[in-house]
Amino acid sequence: MSLGEFEIISRYFGSRPAREDVRVGIGDDAAVLDSRVDKKLVLAMDTIVEGVHFLAGTAASDIGYRALAVNLSDLAAMGAIPSWMSLSLSLPHGDASWLQGFASGLFELADRFDVQLIGGDTVRGPLVVTIQVGGWIEAESWLTRSGAKIGDGVFVSGTLGEAAAGLALLRDRVASGSDAEYLRSRFLRPEPRVSFGRSLRSFASAAMDVSDGLLTDLGKLCSASGCGASIDIDSLPDSPPMRALFDEEQRLQFSLAGGDDYELLFTASTDQVREVMAADRSGVGITQIGVIDEQKGVRCVRKGVPHFFKDTGYDHFMSAKA
Ligand code: ADP
Ligand code: MG
């Protein structure tokens, strides 16, 4: 069944539980929110495009989940508390069962983080989903990419490369079993590290989320901070499911250049390493993978010797993705 624009909005997006700070939500010309004197507003926007960020044929519920997850990950990287979102949806058809699935994945994640949908736009076109999220942070406590200092340790949450391994397994339908399922879910349903990002505010000198690949993203953090970094390849977090299905070179490729993990990459003074580890109440797993130094760029060391790596990550205007 194909639905019109008004029906799509009212049926799937219109009537949702309301937050107290949303005075006017969906249905008017714009939303009206309470502002706060004691906090700063944090905004982020991310777009996902069929064939670029997810494969054609991906379940609608996974698309809805992922569109919000990648945005919440940006707020997590700033240390913010998410609170609302707006949604721009470009759809080839007003397909009721697709919309039902999309809304179920989207609101499953939104409800977990108490994020309210406050408006958006719905148009006909290729499948493209843009979400803008907004949240709050205590004054002066936000995290940025630009605060890394020479001598700081470089840390990551979780296990890098699993999402890229999962994408490879989504393309290749042959592999089955629990390891393959786990890796696929790491691509389809990334977990935004919101509470871990909050805990980083007290000691991280810089932070960002890993969306385009470790080497590319660490390069961005280093250039924002005016420094470089050296990565010890042997210290990258180990993933048993990746080890079960991919050889060492493939795993390295996924971990260093894969992207889509939405883990947090951060720097902190090495004296605070214990504090860094203690912050891991959420159980995400924290690994020190390198150090910040003064030499420009990101360098890798493998078994004590420099290791050169050509494919460093994803750039929309330089290479092809999904
Ligand atoms: P306008 O013509 O004033 O831009 P629309 O008819 O596009 O308004 O939208 C009507 C209402 O529905 C607005 O409040 C808008 O924010 C909301 N809306 C439209 N599309 C979406 C969507 N995909 N998700 C959430 N709200 C939406
Ligand atoms: Mg209007």
Side-chain angles (χ1 to χ4, degrees):
M1 180 178 50
S2 187
L3 302 169
E5 186 185 327
F6 176 77
E7 269 178 303
I8 291 174
I9 299 165
S10 63
R11 209 187 272 192
Y12 299 103
F13 304 117
S15 48
R16 300 283 313 164
R19 287 171 57 98
E20 259 178 22
D21 55 2
V22 177
R23 300 299 191 89
V24 178
I26 292 174
D28 221 302
D29 291 310
V32 179
L33 310 175
D34 282 328
S35 57
R36 299 202 183 169
V37 282
D38 57 329
K39 293 208 170 55
K40 303 292 179 194
L41 181 60
V42 185
L43 300 171
M45 179 192 278
D46 247 322
T47 295
I48 61 173
V49 178
E50 183 176 57
V52 178
H53 300 92
F54 57 90
L55 301 167
T58 299
S61 59
D62 290 333
I63 298 170
Y65 180 101
R66 189 178 163 78
L68 178 57
V70 301
N71 274 282
L72 293 181
S73 175
D74 283 326
L75 291 193
M78 302 299 287
I81 306 170
S83 61
W84 53 263
M85 62 173 158
S86 46
L87 167 68
S88 166
L89 203 50
S90 165
L91 297 175
H93 349 262
D95 178 321
S97 73
W98 191 93
L99 281 154
Q100 177 66 49
F102 177 85
S104 76
L106 177 75
F107 291 120
E108 178 187 330
L109 191 61
D111 292 349
R112 261 178 61 206
F113 288 97
D114 193 22
V115 168
Q116 188 181 336
L117 182 62
I118 56 166
D121 204 11
T122 306
V123 298
R124 186 164 192 163
L127 182 52
V128 178
V129 185
T130 300
I131 290 183
Q132 179 171 46
V133 284
W136 301 99
I137 195 158
E138 296 75 3
E140 313 307 324
S141 73
W142 53 87
L143 300 161
T144 66
R145 300 176 178 190
S146 58
K149 294 185 189 55
I150 290 157
D152 281 353
V154 177
F155 300 85
V156 286
S157 66
T159 318
L160 295 177
E162 289 185 336
L167 176 59
L169 292 166
L170 283 162
R171 289 200 176 106
D172 156 26
R173 298 253 154 215
V174 180
S176 58
S178 61
D179 289 330
E181 275 322 299
Y182 173 78
L183 294 172
R184 289 189 183 107
S185 77
R186 291 277 285 152
F187 176 81
L188 292 170
R189 296 208 163 208
E191 175 64 26
R193 303 297 189 193
V194 173
S195 68
F196 183 63
R198 296 284 296 154
S199 69
L200 284 180
R201 285 172 307 143
S202 56
F203 56 82
S205 50
M208 69 184 295
D209 65 333
V210 183
S211 54
D212 293 335
L214 174 65
L215 294 181
T216 294
D217 287 335
L218 181 55
K220 290 177 191 166
L221 187 148
C222 286
S223 62
S225 296
C227 57
S230 169
I231 295 298
D232 177 7
I233 285 181
D234 307 308
S235 68
L236 288 170
D238 174 49
S239 157
M242 263 166 71
R243 206 162 3 91
L245 294 168
F246 296 96
D247 68 31
E248 194 183 355
E249 291 312 305
Q250 283 176 305
R251 297 201 302 271
L252 207 53
Q253 164 78 26
F254 292 146
S255 303
L256 292 172
D260 293 309
D261 285 308
Y262 298 97
E263 293 294 348
L264 296 184
L265 168 68
F266 62 99
T267 58
S269 111
T270 41
D271 316 338
Q272 285 176 305
V273 168
R274 253 189 295 132
E275 226 175 303
V276 172
M277 301 302 180
D280 191 17
R281 274 179 231 107
S282 47
V284 292
I286 300 170
T287 311
Q288 182 172 1
I289 57 167
V291 285
I292 294 293
D293 56 27
E294 64 278 279
Q295 209 182 315
K296 289 275 174 290
V298 177
R299 282 142 280 115
C300 295
V301 172
R302 190 178 193 183
K303 307 210 177 357
V305 294
H307 181 81
F308 297 96
F309 202 75
K310 268 200 229 106
D311 177 9
T312 54
Y314 184 68
D315 179 318
H316 275 276
F317 294 97
M318 309 274 284
S319 53
K321 210 173 185 183

